[in-house]
Amino acid sequence: MRKLHRTNPARAALWLFMAHTGLYRGELVGLGKDSVAGRRLRVESDPDEDDQGRTKSGKWREVPLNRYARWALRHLPDPLAAVHKDTVSDWFASDAKRAGIGGSLHRLPHTFCAHMVMAGVPLRKVQILAGHADYATTEKYYAHLTPEGDDRAVAKLRY
């Protein structure tokens, strides 16, 4: 993240906000600061130009804003990105390539989920915060990152 931020300081707040909220590009585009109440971001499923919902699951979710997300939000315009979602992807691809990290924009919500799991957040909570419709998706991509590996889990058995 530091490399990405140094590469393009003008977009650093955008990438930081996405990495600390788990927003997908379709959820970000057109999202206004009025979606924030207190220290929570409400990501709603409003139809886009193709009558598709903004959230992947077609529902809404709330994400608490940590200090990094709140800092980034203060440095972002309203709406947060008034461009097409493909433009946001192109920006990220360009910045990531220049930073020498590569990858697609999906790396940011993946970072959000992966770091929560590594910090010990239960997979069910990660599923809810990420907006995954199916628990199996969260489990498939993030279960291997849980801090309690197999050895520690089995060592807890007491019968």
Side-chain angles (χ1 to χ4, degrees), residues 51-72:
D51 207 29
Q52 301 294 312
R54 277 199 328 222
T55 60
K56 287 182 82 173
S57 67
K59 300 177 182 176
W60 64 270
R61 70 181 189 280
E62 283 188 359
V63 180
L65 298 176
N66 65 17
R67 65 186 177 117
Y68 302 102
R70 290 192 311 270
W71 177 90

Side-chain angles (χ1 to χ4, degrees), residues 7-130:
T7 296
N8 190 340
R11 286 197 282 259
L14 182 62
W15 307 144
L16 188 67
F17 189 75
M18 290 183 75
H20 283 269
T21 59
L23 285 178
Y24 298 96
R25 68 184 191 155
E27 297 169 339
L28 172 78
V29 173
L31 187 68
K33 291 186 177 184
D34 60 347
S35 294
V36 175
R39 293 183 171 202
R40 298 185 76 77
L41 171 68
R42 184 175 172 110
V43 184
E44 298 189 42
S45 185
D46 293 335
D48 63 12
E49 66 273 3
D50 299 322
D51 207 29
Q52 301 294 312
R54 277 199 328 222
T55 60
K56 287 182 82 173
S57 67
K59 300 177 182 176
W60 64 270
R61 70 181 189 280
E62 283 188 359
V63 180
L65 298 176
N66 65 17
R67 65 186 177 117
Y68 302 102
R70 290 192 311 270
W71 177 90
L73 185 63
R74 286 192 303 272
H75 293 85
L76 288 170
D78 192 8
L80 307 185
V83 297
H84 192 274
K85 61 186 177 183
D86 291 342
T87 301
V88 178
S89 293
D90 293 343
W91 287 347
F92 184 83
S94 173
D95 290 354
K97 183 177 180 181
R98 286 184 26 223
I101 61 172
S104 71
L105 183 60
H106 193 70
R107 171 175 258 182
L108 297 179
H110 182 68
T111 297
F112 174 72
C113 294
H115 282 264
M116 280 195 296
V117 171
M118 290 185 290
V121 175
L123 289 175
R124 174 68 175 133
K125 181 56 75 176
V126 173
Q127 175 201 358
I128 292 166
L129 293 172

